[in-house]
Amino acid sequence: MAQPKKNLNSQEAGVQPERLYQKLARDLFSDLVAGRYAVGDRLPAERELSVQYNVSRPAVREAMIALEVQGLIEVRIGSGAYVRKLPGEADAPGFTVTAFELMEARLLIEGEAAALAAVHIRDDELVELERLVVEIERENRLPGGSTDADHAFHMLIATATRNAVIRNQVEEMWRLRSTSPNCALLLEKARTANVQPVVEEHKAVLDALKARDPAAARAAMRGHMSAVINHLLFATEEEAIEAARRNVATTRERYARAAQL
């Protein structure tokens, strides 16, 4: 018999609202504590959890990453999530800034930063941004996934706002990008899936800044940030697709050999 959907959207009176992925992570954490799963067991598939808990698949993905960061589960490409260790009854799920929360904030703040920079940016800064776009393209061809030029590009725009508070906020968001375990894990998955800074998106921001057009700069930066969010959402799916392709190729070769017997 199919299990009824669990509604994670309701709140108890007086309880601080949580994001859906946090509620799902807590439920799965409780299942681990209660012994519903043993070490080595495979958790239900992302699609099943999405239906069972009535949440989006991105929310399921964030919950899995939260548990993976704590070392409780291991997500295997093309196979699923497996229990790595069980928490004790005194343990509690921990949450850090997620990559999606960070990108949402960057979309809002850096979009406005670009609009303000379009008013105040100097000619020499535009020249440097143009050089950095070329450097981003060069870094994309190098092994290791360096994002130094990407970082410098965004920080220069923040500096060009001539607003120290905005610059500090952008700098802090980039710090969180590497120090938050959740962000670091998902970005590592994105690198594995060969997700890289898109040169054309940076060129669009640069062109709007050259035109000294605040509205166009805001739209270009927000478009860039939205695209990054989509790349992160599908990073693990791209890995799974690639694994599926390899499996199909192996199966095809097997049956081709069998046909020759």
Side-chain angles (χ1 to χ4, degrees):
M1 181 181 295
Q3 294 186 7
K5 291 183 179 181
K6 299 182 181 181
N7 189 355
L8 298 184
N9 293 287
S10 60
Q11 300 180 59
E12 296 180 6
V15 176
Q16 182 69 26
E18 288 186 306
R19 291 190 60 195
L20 291 180
Y21 91 89
Q22 292 176 326
K23 294 180 180 180
L24 175 55
R26 289 187 189 281
D27 272 14
L28 293 173
F29 188 94
S30 296
D31 287 342
L32 293 174
V33 172
R36 181 175 176 184
Y37 302 103
V39 172
D41 282 356
R42 182 181 182 277
L43 295 179
E46 183 180 287
R47 188 190 305 273
E48 295 175 48
L49 289 172
S50 176
V51 173
Q52 182 179 345
Y53 289 91
N54 194 27
V55 297
S56 68
R57 293 182 68 176
V60 174
R61 206 165 304 148
E62 284 190 287
M64 291 298 186
I65 290 172
L67 295 177
E68 191 174 8
V69 164
Q70 290 187 265
L72 299 175
I73 66 171
E74 176 187 5
V75 178
R76 301 175 189 170
I77 305 305
S79 179
Y82 293 81
V83 179
R84 187 175 178 183
K85 73 174 184 179
L86 297 176
E89 292 186 3
D91 293 334
F95 301 107
T96 59
V97 172
T98 75
F100 298 111
E101 288 174 318
L102 179 61
M103 291 309 306
E104 185 177 52
R106 287 188 63 192
L107 185 151
L108 296 171
I109 295 172
E110 293 199 51
E112 295 309 309
L116 187 57
V119 177
H120 298 294
I121 197 164
R122 302 191 307 255
D123 288 343
D124 63 304
E125 290 172 323
L126 287 170
V127 171
E128 176 61 9
L129 283 178
E130 196 156 15
R131 186 193 71 79
L132 287 170
V133 169
V134 174
E135 183 64 13
I136 289 171
E137 190 168 18
R138 186 189 72 83
E139 285 186 346
N140 282 349
R141 296 193 296 268
L142 298 175
S146 173
T147 57
D148 291 345
D150 187 29
H151 182 195
F153 180 93
H154 287 273
M155 287 307 306
L156 182 52
I157 292 173
T159 299
T161 65
R162 308 290 177 252
N163 185 306
V165 175
I166 291 176
R167 189 190 187 286
N168 289 342
Q169 287 299 311
V170 173
E171 188 172 35
E172 173 62 11
M173 288 189 295
W174 274 86
R175 186 191 68 80
L176 285 170
R177 186 177 183 272
S178 59
T179 58
S180 164
N182 188 298
C183 292
L185 178 62
L186 187 53
L187 289 170
E188 178 59 34
K189 290 178 181 291
R191 280 191 292 271
T192 301
N194 201 32
V195 173
Q196 298 175 318
V198 178
V199 174
E200 288 73 19
E201 294 168 10
H202 290 80
K203 285 181 178 177
V205 175
L206 175 59
D207 289 343
L209 292 172
K210 283 181 176 179
R212 315 280 181 172
D213 186 334
R218 178 188 296 111
M221 183 63 81
R222 288 175 68 93
H224 169 44
M225 293 292 108
S226 295
V228 173
I229 291 172
N230 286 331
H231 292 325
L232 290 177
L233 280 172
F234 292 106
T236 53
E237 291 184 358
E238 287 299 319
E239 290 179 332
I241 289 170
E242 182 58 32
R245 285 172 179 159
R246 289 195 297 269
N247 289 338
V248 167
T250 301
T251 302
R252 184 181 292 116
E253 290 172 3
R254 172 185 173 183
Y255 283 107
R257 288 194 300 269
Q260 295 172 358
L261 294 178

PDB file of all heavy atoms in Angstrom, residues 111 114-115 118 208 212-222:
ATOM      1  N   GLY A 111      22.925  41.894  -8.183  1.00  0.00           N
ATOM      2  CA  GLY A 111      22.146  42.548  -9.227  1.00  0.00           C
ATOM      3  C   GLY A 111      22.093  44.050  -9.002  1.00  0.00           C
ATOM      4  O   GLY A 111      22.324  44.853  -9.917  1.00  0.00           O
ATOM      5  N   ALA A 114      25.536  45.698  -9.490  1.00  0.00           N
ATOM      6  CA  ALA A 114      25.846  45.965 -10.898  1.00  0.00           C
ATOM      7  C   ALA A 114      25.156  47.234 -11.381  1.00  0.00           C
ATOM      8  O   ALA A 114      25.746  48.029 -12.133  1.00  0.00           O
ATOM      9  CB  ALA A 114      25.437  44.771 -11.757  1.00  0.00           C
ATOM     10  N   ALA A 115      23.917  47.431 -10.947  1.00  0.00           N
ATOM     11  CA  ALA A 115      23.179  48.638 -11.349  1.00  0.00           C
ATOM     12  C   ALA A 115      23.883  49.890 -10.831  1.00  0.00           C
ATOM     13  O   ALA A 115      24.022  50.892 -11.558  1.00  0.00           O
ATOM     14  CB  ALA A 115      21.749  48.568 -10.832  1.00  0.00           C
ATOM     15  N   ALA A 118      27.212  50.604 -12.622  1.00  0.00           N
ATOM     16  CA  ALA A 118      27.061  51.183 -13.954  1.00  0.00           C
ATOM     17  C   ALA A 118      27.109  52.707 -13.909  1.00  0.00           C
ATOM     18  O   ALA A 118      27.493  53.354 -14.891  1.00  0.00           O
ATOM     19  CB  ALA A 118      25.744  50.718 -14.584  1.00  0.00           C
ATOM     20  N   ALA A 208      26.822  45.846 -20.494  1.00  0.00           N
ATOM     21  CA  ALA A 208      25.863  46.748 -19.851  1.00  0.00           C
ATOM     22  C   ALA A 208      26.582  47.814 -19.030  1.00  0.00           C
ATOM     23  O   ALA A 208      26.164  48.972 -18.992  1.00  0.00           O
ATOM     24  CB  ALA A 208      24.925  45.944 -18.956  1.00  0.00           C
ATOM     25  N   ARG A 212      26.943  52.055 -19.452  1.00  0.00           N
ATOM     26  CA  ARG A 212      26.523  52.846 -18.276  1.00  0.00           C
ATOM     27  C   ARG A 212      25.009  52.775 -18.092  1.00  0.00           C
ATOM     28  O   ARG A 212      24.355  53.753 -17.746  1.00  0.00           O
ATOM     29  CB  ARG A 212      26.945  54.316 -18.438  1.00  0.00           C
ATOM     30  CG  ARG A 212      28.355  54.515 -18.935  1.00  0.00           C
ATOM     31  CD  ARG A 212      29.373  54.355 -17.857  1.00  0.00           C
ATOM     32  NE  ARG A 212      30.743  54.571 -18.347  1.00  0.00           N
ATOM     33  CZ  ARG A 212      31.821  54.631 -17.581  1.00  0.00           C
ATOM     34  NH1 ARG A 212      31.689  54.512 -16.274  1.00  0.00           N
ATOM     35  NH2 ARG A 212      33.006  54.818 -18.091  1.00  0.00           N
ATOM     36  N   ASP A 213      24.481  51.572 -18.298  1.00  0.00           N
ATOM     37  CA  ASP A 213      23.025  51.351 -18.237  1.00  0.00           C
ATOM     38  C   ASP A 213      22.700  50.540 -16.980  1.00  0.00           C
ATOM     39  O   ASP A 213      22.879  49.310 -16.961  1.00  0.00           O
ATOM     40  CB  ASP A 213      22.579  50.601 -19.492  1.00  0.00           C
ATOM     41  CG  ASP A 213      21.072  50.455 -19.601  1.00  0.00           C
ATOM     42  OD1 ASP A 213      20.395  50.479 -18.549  1.00  0.00           O
ATOM     43  OD2 ASP A 213      20.576  50.306 -20.728  1.00  0.00           O
ATOM     44  N   PRO A 214      22.210  51.188 -15.913  1.00  0.00           N
ATOM     45  CA  PRO A 214      21.930  50.471 -14.659  1.00  0.00           C
ATOM     46  C   PRO A 214      20.911  49.343 -14.817  1.00  0.00           C
ATOM     47  O   PRO A 214      21.103  48.256 -14.267  1.00  0.00           O
ATOM     48  CB  PRO A 214      21.395  51.569 -13.729  1.00  0.00           C
ATOM     49  CG  PRO A 214      21.961  52.843 -14.281  1.00  0.00           C
ATOM     50  CD  PRO A 214      22.000  52.632 -15.773  1.00  0.00           C
ATOM     51  N   ALA A 215      19.836  49.594 -15.566  1.00  0.00           N
ATOM     52  CA  ALA A 215      18.799  48.567 -15.723  1.00  0.00           C
ATOM     53  C   ALA A 215      19.339  47.351 -16.470  1.00  0.00           C
ATOM     54  O   ALA A 215      19.074  46.202 -16.089  1.00  0.00           O
ATOM     55  CB  ALA A 215      17.591  49.148 -16.458  1.00  0.00           C
ATOM     56  N   ALA A 216      20.112  47.596 -17.508  1.00  0.00           N
ATOM     57  CA  ALA A 216      20.681  46.485 -18.273  1.00  0.00           C
ATOM     58  C   ALA A 216      21.713  45.729 -17.448  1.00  0.00           C
ATOM     59  O   ALA A 216      21.809  44.499 -17.524  1.00  0.00           O
ATOM     60  CB  ALA A 216      21.314  47.011 -19.560  1.00  0.00           C
ATOM     61  N   ALA A 217      22.492  46.465 -16.645  1.00  0.00           N
ATOM     62  CA  ALA A 217      23.489  45.811 -15.793  1.00  0.00           C
ATOM     63  C   ALA A 217      22.824  44.938 -14.751  1.00  0.00           C
ATOM     64  O   ALA A 217      23.266  43.814 -14.478  1.00  0.00           O
ATOM     65  CB  ALA A 217      24.371  46.866 -15.125  1.00  0.00           C
ATOM     66  N   ARG A 218      21.761  45.445 -14.160  1.00  0.00           N
ATOM     67  CA  ARG A 218      21.016  44.652 -13.167  1.00  0.00           C
ATOM     68  C   ARG A 218      20.460  43.386 -13.819  1.00  0.00           C
ATOM     69  O   ARG A 218      20.590  42.286 -13.278  1.00  0.00           O
ATOM     70  CB  ARG A 218      19.869  45.480 -12.578  1.00  0.00           C
ATOM     71  CG  ARG A 218      19.011  44.702 -11.571  1.00  0.00           C
ATOM     72  CD  ARG A 218      17.775  45.494 -11.154  1.00  0.00           C
ATOM     73  NE  ARG A 218      18.118  46.699 -10.443  1.00  0.00           N
ATOM     74  CZ  ARG A 218      17.943  47.932 -10.923  1.00  0.00           C
ATOM     75  NH1 ARG A 218      17.428  48.112 -12.163  1.00  0.00           N
ATOM     76  NH2 ARG A 218      18.282  48.989 -10.216  1.00  0.00           N
ATOM     77  N   ALA A 219      19.824  43.537 -14.978  1.00  0.00           N
ATOM     78  CA  ALA A 219      19.219  42.389 -15.665  1.00  0.00           C
ATOM     79  C   ALA A 219      20.280  41.364 -16.062  1.00  0.00           C
ATOM     80  O   ALA A 219      20.071  40.158 -15.922  1.00  0.00           O
ATOM     81  CB  ALA A 219      18.454  42.872 -16.892  1.00  0.00           C
ATOM     82  N   ALA A 220      21.435  41.835 -16.540  1.00  0.00           N
ATOM     83  CA  ALA A 220      22.488  40.917 -16.962  1.00  0.00           C
ATOM     84  C   ALA A 220      23.061  40.149 -15.783  1.00  0.00           C
ATOM     85  O   ALA A 220      23.295  38.935 -15.867  1.00  0.00           O
ATOM     86  CB  ALA A 220      23.593  41.692 -17.681  1.00  0.00           C
ATOM     87  N   MET A 221      23.271  40.839 -14.662  1.00  0.00           N
ATOM     88  CA  MET A 221      23.811  40.164 -13.480  1.00  0.00           C
ATOM     89  C   MET A 221      22.791  39.188 -12.901  1.00  0.00           C
ATOM     90  O   MET A 221      23.151  38.061 -12.514  1.00  0.00           O
ATOM     91  CB  MET A 221      24.222  41.186 -12.420  1.00  0.00           C
ATOM     92  CG  MET A 221      24.854  40.559 -11.180  1.00  0.00           C
ATOM     93  SD  MET A 221      26.405  39.683 -11.524  1.00  0.00           S
ATOM     94  CE  MET A 221      27.557  41.070 -11.561  1.00  0.00           C
ATOM     95  N   ARG A 222      21.542  39.587 -12.829  1.00  0.00           N
ATOM     96  CA  ARG A 222      20.515  38.675 -12.316  1.00  0.00           C
ATOM     97  C   ARG A 222      20.347  37.473 -13.245  1.00  0.00           C
ATOM     98  O   ARG A 222      20.126  36.349 -12.783  1.00  0.00           O
ATOM     99  CB  ARG A 222      19.186  39.418 -12.149  1.00  0.00           C
ATOM    100  CG  ARG A 222      19.172  40.410 -10.974  1.00  0.00           C
ATOM    101  CD  ARG A 222      17.877  41.209 -10.928  1.00  0.00           C
ATOM    102  NE  ARG A 222      16.748  40.370 -10.602  1.00  0.00           N
ATOM    103  CZ  ARG A 222      16.268  40.164  -9.368  1.00  0.00           C
ATOM    104  NH1 ARG A 222      16.862  40.738  -8.329  1.00  0.00           N
ATOM    105  NH2 ARG A 222      15.221  39.402  -9.169  1.00  0.00           N
TER     106      ARG A 222
END
